[in-house]
Amino acid sequence: MSSWPNNVGILALEVVFPSQYVDQTELEVFDGVSAGKYTIGLGQSRMGFCSDREDVNSLCLTVVNNLLERHNIPHSKIGYLEVGTETLVDKSKSVKSVLMQLFKPHAVTNLEGIDTTNACYGGTAALFHAWNWVESSSWDGRLALVVCADIAVYAQGSARPTGGAGAIAMLVGPNAPLVLDRGLRSTFMDHAYDFYKPDLSSEYPVVDGKLSIQCYLGALDNCYQLYRKKYTQQNPRASVNLDVFDAVIFHSPYCKLVQKSLARLGLNDFVLTPENERASAYPGFEQFQNVKLEETYFDRDVEKAFMTHYAPVFNAKTKKSLHLANQVGNMYTPSVYSGLVSLLINSELSELAGKRIGVFSYGSGLASSMYSISITKDSHALAEFKTHLNYVHPLLDSRQKVAPEEFTKLMEIREKNNHAAPYEPSGSVEVLFPGTFYLQSVDKMHRRVYEKAPPKPAQTTNCTS
């Protein structure tokens, strides 16, 4: 291609999540913890979960198939496909290769891209790779497809209510309604054992909870400050603070951490404000004049003061993005993009058109980035984009609630049969959403076979004469 494509970004979004959930209030009672520990302390209401009928491959098959069908996109229009996930079912064979089952029947095999893995960051890495491919000399005019999918499960105990599951697919190409801002991308990488999965026979991670929060907030500090510098380079006369974003979305391990993170950006703004200007910009904050960011990760006084001060900003710029996180839980790699979906479906066109969204993505171990998305001013194009997400609220409402006792039994089945072969799953197919791909069987050579639940029957109208 001789010209640089314009306005490269997200052309379409698709989300899938489990058809079953457990209520966090009921889980508090079942686990014998204090009322509000999960619902108020973590900010979670419901947690979606998968039985042994679904795995990362089936989630990806479903979300890709749904996106292509909903938007009537021929398979031949896709030239790049990359999957971001940390839910590995094989140490060698990629999820991307499993997705080729959808493309080969259409004679599409010239399809670049593969899997990328680093905890919850893999989906963002895949998005950057797809974006780079479209903006490179490798681009052949076709579109890119990014898939983020994970099943977040924990051993029974205090971490279990921070689980969840889901998948997001993003169609990437030029002239997009959601444009990734060129040159405004910051990254922070480091080595840490805050959350990792060294036991390849288990789905459960090893977690250092306190270190994980410190790593997350430290990465946020670094990414935000570098983003500010890059923004200043592009806009030398502009003042840079939270006001440059009309909305801010975050990777969401649990909703309460996101509220703290928005306030953390405000704390960064405070620290970076010249001392002679702080008194007028932050009246009543004199006691924090000498605060150092690296000493505040667990400072309750600083946290409370800035969360209170920035509560209106959180309500205006971030709260709407937490709907799926609150209702489904932590999706891992799709988490921050479920925030994007939530923001879009819970905002009016007038609240979105021409706006800039700040995005913070984090994956333990650790990898993190902050970038921004500019939404088109074309109300017609934006309305069409949003219309394709009208299924999300009804789908959430159609889920089935499962009692904590049954949920625990289903988790025990997953734990007991993880990587079992041969294996016949026992989970119900009838409870799955119509059109969902599911695991039919695993043979003695660990080869997995998938089937597709019947589609929703077409509605008919009875006529009387």
Side-chain angles (χ1 to χ4, degrees):
M1 307 297 294
S2 59
S3 61
W4 200 324
N6 295 318
N7 297 325
V8 176
I10 301 171
L11 296 160
L13 274 168
E14 185 76 21
V15 59
V16 301
F17 39 79
S19 59
Q20 300 181 96
Y21 71 90
V22 62
D23 183 272
Q24 294 277 22
T25 301
E26 295 179 2
L27 197 58
E28 289 172 343
V29 175
F30 178 78
D31 288 347
V33 301
S34 58
K37 184 172 183 179
Y38 304 157
T39 51
I40 299 174
L42 297 177
Q44 301 300 124
S45 294
R46 296 174 175 179
M47 179 172 60
F49 68 92
C50 297
S51 74
D52 62 347
R53 279 293 179 187
E54 293 184 275
D55 60 16
V56 68
N57 292 339
S58 68
L59 290 175
C60 290
L61 286 165
T62 301
V63 77
V64 170
N65 185 74
N66 286 0
L67 184 144
L68 296 178
E69 286 190 350
R70 193 180 310 279
H71 294 267
N72 296 312
I73 299 169
H75 294 74
S76 59
K77 291 281 288 184
I78 308 299
Y80 188 98
L81 172 58
E82 185 164 335
V83 177
T85 184
E86 64 172 273
T87 309
L88 305 181
V89 296
D90 191 282
K91 292 182 288 184
S92 175
K93 181 175 172 58
S94 67
V95 179
K96 154 65 179 297
S97 65
V98 176
L99 293 177
M100 292 308 298
Q101 294 176 87
L102 300 176
F103 289 86
K104 190 173 181 180
H106 300 271
V108 177
T109 55
N110 177 21
L111 199 56
E112 291 191 26
I114 208 71
D115 292 4
T116 184
T117 299
N118 188 92
C120 303
Y121 183 81
T124 293
L127 176 60
F128 287 172
H129 296 162
W131 179 16
N132 292 343
W133 178 76
V134 175
E135 289 202 337
S136 76
S137 61
S138 298
W139 186 49
D140 61 7
R142 292 183 292 169
L143 303 176
L145 191 55
V146 176
V147 186
C148 322
D150 276 305
I151 298 173
V153 288
Y154 295 85
Q156 192 164 4
S158 59
R160 176 158 281 184
T162 62
I168 296 274
M170 294 177 277
L171 190 67
V172 176
N175 304 314
L178 275 58
V179 179
L180 278 66
D181 292 333
R182 187 178 294 163
L184 291 178
R185 182 198 304 182
S186 61
T187 291
F188 177 76
M189 302 275 178
D190 200 1
H191 169 57
Y193 281 113
D194 57 325
F195 169 110
Y196 51 108
K197 295 179 178 177
D199 184 355
L200 299 180
S201 66
S202 172
E203 288 189 298
Y204 300 147
V206 175
V207 185
D208 184 333
K210 187 174 182 179
L211 177 60
S212 186
I213 294 173
Q214 179 177 324
C215 288
Y216 182 104
L217 296 178
L220 178 61
D221 293 343
N222 278 277
C223 285
Y224 181 53
Q225 292 188 26
L226 181 54
Y227 181 95
R228 283 176 49 124
K229 290 180 181 178
K230 291 193 172 186
Y231 188 93
T232 300
Q233 290 169 359
Q234 288 193 9
N235 306 274
R237 297 182 180 179
S239 59
V240 186
N241 51 39
L242 260 174
D243 291 340
V244 305
F245 302 126
D246 299 291
V248 193
I249 63 176
F250 301 81
H251 167 58
S252 178
Y254 52 92
C255 293
K256 184 64 74 173
L257 181 59
V258 171
Q259 186 173 0
K260 293 179 181 180
S261 297
L262 190 280
R264 185 81 186 179
L265 297 186
L267 174 60
N268 272 265
D269 285 345
F270 172 81
V271 170
L272 295 171
T273 298
E275 291 187 15
N276 62 340
E277 298 177 15
R278 286 182 188 169
S280 58
Y282 296 89
F285 279 68
E286 291 79 10
Q287 69 269 38
F288 304 122
Q289 189 71 17
N290 298 315
V291 72
K292 296 180 180 179
L293 286 172
E294 62 273 16
E295 297 176 356
T296 61
Y297 299 127
F298 304 103
D299 189 318
R300 294 293 181 87
D301 292 334
V302 171
E303 181 181 279
K304 182 179 180 180
F306 280 86
M307 285 183 70
T308 300
H309 183 78
Y310 279 94
V313 182
F314 169 77
N315 290 332
K317 297 188 177 186
T318 299
K319 189 175 182 179
K320 289 180 181 179
S321 69
L322 292 177
H323 187 66
L324 281 169
N326 173 267
Q327 291 293 306
V328 179
N330 187 2
M331 297 183 183
Y332 285 169
T333 54
S335 170
V336 68
Y337 301 103
S338 78
L340 179 58
V341 172
S342 297
L343 177 67
L344 294 170
I345 64 176
N346 289 306
S347 301
E348 300 297 327
L349 285 174
S350 59
E351 298 174 303
L352 296 170
K355 305 300 185 181
R356 174 181 280 122
I357 304 170
V359 182
F360 175 67
S361 179
Y362 176 83
S364 293
L366 60 83
S368 60
S369 289
M370 177 170 277
Y371 63 100
S372 53
I373 296 172
S374 291
I375 303 178
T376 181
K377 296 179 181 179
D378 184 338
S379 58
H380 177 75
L382 184 58
E384 185 177 359
F385 189 101
K386 275 177 54 65
T387 297
H388 284 105
L389 294 172
N390 285 346
Y391 67 92
V392 178
H393 280 307
L395 199 64
L396 277 171
D397 294 340
S398 69
R399 292 179 299 166
Q400 296 187 23
K401 184 174 74 170
V402 174
E405 294 83 358
E406 181 64 20
F407 161 70
T408 301
K409 291 178 182 177
L410 292 170
M411 291 299 97
E412 289 173 351
I413 292 173
R414 283 193 69 95
E415 179 180 358
K416 179 181 178 181
N417 297 290
N418 186 46
H419 291 296
Y423 181 62
E424 295 285 341
S426 59
S428 171
V429 174
E430 286 69 27
V431 301
L432 299 175
F433 292 131
T436 296
F437 283 83
Y438 62 90
L439 181 63
Q440 175 65 36
S441 63
V442 183
D443 72 13
K444 65 180 181 180
M445 294 181 67
H446 293 266
R447 294 177 297 195
R448 293 171 178 246
V449 177
Y450 297 91
E451 298 290 344
K452 186 179 178 184
K456 185 178 181 179
Q459 293 184 342
T460 57
T461 302
N462 294 324
C463 298
T464 57
S465 57

